[in-house]
Amino acid sequence: MSLPRAKLVKNFPDCPVEATLTYLDGKWKGVILFHLMEGTLRFNELRRKLPAVTQRMLTKQLRELEESGLVSRTVYPVVPPRVEYAMTPLGMTLKPVIQALAAWGDDYVFCSPEGRRELRLASDGLRAPVAALEA
């Protein structure tokens, strides 16, 4: 869990959304869980699915997910070592949340060929750059 969000939770102790986000906080955690919903994956399989993440960051995010009980890590005593990651039963309870985020992204987030992201309201077709909406 990152320190800034942990500090925020202390400021809003009765906010279940903020408390839940402490477990998903991190650029890659949601994406990792999204891919693990498909089933067990080895470390390098996850890396291939997330080409922009560094090995160090992926390891850090997986350790935090494991520490929180959302992901399990299984090490097989073979040479070379084989490590597999899977969602725990607790982690699987987040499946509807992650599916809802994916569905919202499919409906409202559009990526241009140049890599820019835009949000669009489905009802009127209006588009706005993500940065403009975040301000």
Side-chain angles (χ1 to χ4, degrees), residues 4 6-7 10-11 21 26 31 45 54 58 61 64-66 69 76 92 99-100 104 109 122-124 126 132:
K7 287 181 180 177
K10 291 176 186 171
N11 293 331
L21 287 174
V31 181
E45 290 174 315
T54 64
L58 180 57
Q61 300 278 276
E64 289 177 10
L65 287 167
E66 182 184 8
Y76 294 93
M92 289 302 283
Q99 288 172 328
W104 190 88
V109 179
S123 61
D124 55 16
L126 293 177

Short mmCIF file of all heavy atoms in Angstrom, two decimals, residues 4 6-7 10-11 21 26 31 45 54 58 61 64-66 69 76 92 99-100 104 109 122-124 126 132:
data_model
loop_
_atom_site.label_atom_id
_atom_site.label_comp_id
_atom_site.label_asym_id
_atom_site.label_seq_id
_atom_site.Cartn_x
_atom_site.Cartn_y
_atom_site.Cartn_z
N PRO A 4 0.95 7.68 0.54
CA PRO A 4 -0.02 8.77 0.44
C PRO A 4 -1.46 8.33 0.65
O PRO A 4 -2.21 8.96 1.37
CB PRO A 4 0.20 9.32 -0.97
CG PRO A 4 1.61 8.99 -1.28
CD PRO A 4 1.85 7.66 -0.59
N ALA A 6 -2.49 5.67 2.22
CA ALA A 6 -2.62 5.22 3.60
C ALA A 6 -2.89 6.41 4.52
O ALA A 6 -3.68 6.32 5.45
CB ALA A 6 -1.35 4.48 4.04
N LYS A 7 -2.25 7.54 4.25
CA LYS A 7 -2.49 8.74 5.04
C LYS A 7 -3.92 9.24 4.82
O LYS A 7 -4.56 9.71 5.75
CB LYS A 7 -1.50 9.83 4.67
CG LYS A 7 -0.10 9.57 5.19
CD LYS A 7 0.82 10.70 4.80
CE LYS A 7 2.23 10.47 5.31
NZ LYS A 7 3.14 11.53 4.89
N LYS A 10 -6.62 7.58 6.96
CA LYS A 10 -6.70 8.07 8.34
C LYS A 10 -7.57 9.32 8.40
O LYS A 10 -8.21 9.58 9.42
CB LYS A 10 -5.30 8.36 8.87
CG LYS A 10 -4.48 7.10 9.07
CD LYS A 10 -3.08 7.41 9.50
CE LYS A 10 -2.26 6.14 9.55
NZ LYS A 10 -0.85 6.38 9.75
N ASN A 11 -7.62 10.10 7.31
CA ASN A 11 -8.44 11.31 7.28
C ASN A 11 -9.92 11.00 7.04
O ASN A 11 -10.78 11.81 7.34
CB ASN A 11 -7.94 12.28 6.20
CG ASN A 11 -6.57 12.83 6.55
OD1 ASN A 11 -6.22 12.95 7.72
ND2 ASN A 11 -5.79 13.14 5.54
N LEU A 21 -9.87 1.18 -1.99
CA LEU A 21 -8.84 1.61 -2.93
C LEU A 21 -7.43 1.44 -2.38
O LEU A 21 -6.48 1.32 -3.14
CB LEU A 21 -9.08 3.07 -3.34
CG LEU A 21 -10.25 3.29 -4.28
CD1 LEU A 21 -10.48 4.77 -4.52
CD2 LEU A 21 -10.05 2.55 -5.60
N GLY A 26 -2.10 1.62 -6.83
CA GLY A 26 -0.91 1.25 -7.59
C GLY A 26 -1.29 1.15 -9.05
O GLY A 26 -2.37 0.66 -9.39
N VAL A 31 -4.74 -3.99 -13.18
CA VAL A 31 -4.45 -4.70 -14.43
C VAL A 31 -3.97 -6.12 -14.13
O VAL A 31 -4.35 -7.06 -14.83
CB VAL A 31 -3.40 -3.92 -15.27
CG1 VAL A 31 -3.11 -4.62 -16.57
CG2 VAL A 31 -3.86 -2.49 -15.51
N GLU A 45 4.60 -14.73 -17.84
CA GLU A 45 3.35 -14.57 -18.59
C GLU A 45 2.71 -13.23 -18.25
O GLU A 45 2.21 -12.53 -19.13
CB GLU A 45 2.39 -15.72 -18.28
CG GLU A 45 2.82 -17.06 -18.83
CD GLU A 45 1.92 -18.19 -18.37
OE1 GLU A 45 1.58 -18.25 -17.16
OE2 GLU A 45 1.56 -19.02 -19.23
N THR A 54 8.06 -2.58 -15.35
CA THR A 54 9.40 -3.13 -15.10
C THR A 54 9.28 -4.37 -14.22
O THR A 54 8.28 -4.56 -13.51
CB THR A 54 10.30 -2.10 -14.39
OG1 THR A 54 9.74 -1.83 -13.09
CG2 THR A 54 10.43 -0.81 -15.20
N LEU A 58 6.60 -4.88 -11.14
CA LEU A 58 5.67 -6.01 -11.15
C LEU A 58 5.85 -6.85 -9.89
O LEU A 58 4.87 -7.23 -9.24
CB LEU A 58 5.86 -6.86 -12.40
CG LEU A 58 4.95 -8.08 -12.54
CD1 LEU A 58 3.48 -7.67 -12.50
CD2 LEU A 58 5.27 -8.82 -13.84
N GLN A 61 4.32 -4.91 -6.90
CA GLN A 61 2.86 -4.91 -6.91
C GLN A 61 2.30 -6.29 -6.56
O GLN A 61 1.34 -6.41 -5.81
CB GLN A 61 2.33 -4.46 -8.27
CG GLN A 61 2.76 -3.05 -8.67
CD GLN A 61 1.90 -1.98 -8.07
OE1 GLN A 61 0.84 -1.65 -8.59
NE2 GLN A 61 2.35 -1.42 -6.96
N GLU A 64 2.62 -6.85 -2.82
CA GLU A 64 1.59 -6.13 -2.07
C GLU A 64 0.24 -6.82 -2.19
O GLU A 64 -0.51 -6.91 -1.20
CB GLU A 64 1.52 -4.68 -2.54
CG GLU A 64 2.73 -3.85 -2.13
CD GLU A 64 2.71 -2.44 -2.67
OE1 GLU A 64 1.67 -2.01 -3.22
OE2 GLU A 64 3.73 -1.75 -2.54
N LEU A 65 -0.09 -7.32 -3.37
CA LEU A 65 -1.35 -8.04 -3.56
C LEU A 65 -1.35 -9.34 -2.76
O LEU A 65 -2.37 -9.73 -2.19
CB LEU A 65 -1.60 -8.32 -5.05
CG LEU A 65 -1.99 -7.12 -5.89
CD1 LEU A 65 -1.90 -7.44 -7.37
CD2 LEU A 65 -3.40 -6.66 -5.53
N GLU A 66 -0.19 -10.00 -2.71
CA GLU A 66 -0.07 -11.23 -1.92
C GLU A 66 -0.19 -10.92 -0.42
O GLU A 66 -0.91 -11.62 0.31
CB GLU A 66 1.28 -11.90 -2.21
CG GLU A 66 1.48 -13.20 -1.50
CD GLU A 66 2.85 -13.80 -1.72
OE1 GLU A 66 3.73 -13.14 -2.32
OE2 GLU A 66 3.05 -14.95 -1.28
N GLY A 69 -3.65 -10.51 0.67
CA GLY A 69 -4.47 -11.71 0.59
C GLY A 69 -5.32 -11.81 -0.67
O GLY A 69 -6.19 -12.67 -0.76
N TYR A 76 7.32 -23.66 -7.11
CA TYR A 76 7.55 -25.09 -7.32
C TYR A 76 9.04 -25.37 -7.25
O TYR A 76 9.84 -24.68 -7.88
CB TYR A 76 6.99 -25.52 -8.68
CG TYR A 76 5.48 -25.40 -8.73
CD1 TYR A 76 4.88 -24.24 -9.20
CD2 TYR A 76 4.67 -26.43 -8.29
CE1 TYR A 76 3.50 -24.12 -9.23
CE2 TYR A 76 3.29 -26.32 -8.31
CZ TYR A 76 2.72 -25.16 -8.78
OH TYR A 76 1.35 -25.04 -8.81
N MET A 92 -11.04 -13.08 -5.72
CA MET A 92 -12.12 -13.32 -6.69
C MET A 92 -13.38 -12.53 -6.36
O MET A 92 -14.20 -12.28 -7.24
CB MET A 92 -12.43 -14.81 -6.78
CG MET A 92 -11.34 -15.62 -7.47
SD MET A 92 -10.98 -15.07 -9.15
CE MET A 92 -12.38 -15.76 -10.01
N GLN A 99 -14.58 -6.26 -13.51
CA GLN A 99 -15.37 -6.36 -14.75
C GLN A 99 -16.14 -5.07 -15.01
O GLN A 99 -16.26 -4.64 -16.15
CB GLN A 99 -16.33 -7.55 -14.67
CG GLN A 99 -15.62 -8.88 -14.77
CD GLN A 99 -16.53 -10.06 -14.50
OE1 GLN A 99 -17.48 -9.97 -13.71
NE2 GLN A 99 -16.25 -11.18 -15.14
N ALA A 100 -16.66 -4.44 -13.95
CA ALA A 100 -17.37 -3.18 -14.12
C ALA A 100 -16.43 -2.08 -14.60
O ALA A 100 -16.79 -1.28 -15.48
CB ALA A 100 -18.04 -2.77 -12.80
N TRP A 104 -16.80 -0.16 -18.16
CA TRP A 104 -16.85 1.30 -18.23
C TRP A 104 -15.77 1.81 -19.19
O TRP A 104 -16.01 2.69 -20.00
CB TRP A 104 -16.67 1.91 -16.84
CG TRP A 104 -16.95 3.38 -16.81
CD1 TRP A 104 -18.14 3.98 -16.61
CD2 TRP A 104 -16.00 4.44 -16.99
NE1 TRP A 104 -18.00 5.34 -16.65
CE2 TRP A 104 -16.70 5.65 -16.88
CE3 TRP A 104 -14.63 4.48 -17.23
CZ2 TRP A 104 -16.08 6.89 -17.01
CZ3 TRP A 104 -14.01 5.70 -17.36
CH2 TRP A 104 -14.73 6.89 -17.25
N VAL A 109 -13.80 5.15 -22.55
CA VAL A 109 -12.41 5.56 -22.75
C VAL A 109 -11.98 5.15 -24.16
O VAL A 109 -12.08 3.98 -24.52
CB VAL A 109 -11.48 4.94 -21.70
CG1 VAL A 109 -10.03 5.37 -21.94
CG2 VAL A 109 -11.91 5.32 -20.30
N ALA A 122 -21.42 8.47 -23.76
CA ALA A 122 -22.08 7.62 -24.75
C ALA A 122 -23.36 8.26 -25.27
O ALA A 122 -23.71 8.10 -26.43
CB ALA A 122 -22.39 6.26 -24.15
N SER A 123 -24.09 9.01 -24.43
CA SER A 123 -25.38 9.55 -24.83
C SER A 123 -25.29 10.62 -25.90
O SER A 123 -26.16 10.72 -26.76
CB SER A 123 -26.12 10.10 -23.61
OG SER A 123 -25.35 11.15 -23.03
N ASP A 124 -24.25 11.44 -25.87
CA ASP A 124 -24.19 12.54 -26.83
C ASP A 124 -22.95 12.53 -27.71
O ASP A 124 -22.79 13.41 -28.54
CB ASP A 124 -24.33 13.88 -26.13
CG ASP A 124 -23.29 14.07 -25.03
OD1 ASP A 124 -22.29 13.33 -25.01
OD2 ASP A 124 -23.48 14.97 -24.20
N LEU A 126 -20.00 13.33 -27.03
CA LEU A 126 -19.02 14.36 -26.72
C LEU A 126 -17.71 13.72 -26.28
O LEU A 126 -17.69 12.71 -25.59
CB LEU A 126 -19.53 15.27 -25.59
CG LEU A 126 -20.74 16.13 -25.93
CD1 LEU A 126 -21.17 16.92 -24.70
CD2 LEU A 126 -20.43 17.09 -27.06
N ALA A 132 -8.10 17.16 -19.46
CA ALA A 132 -9.05 18.24 -19.25
C ALA A 132 -10.11 17.84 -18.23
O ALA A 132 -10.57 18.65 -17.44
CB ALA A 132 -9.71 18.64 -20.56
#
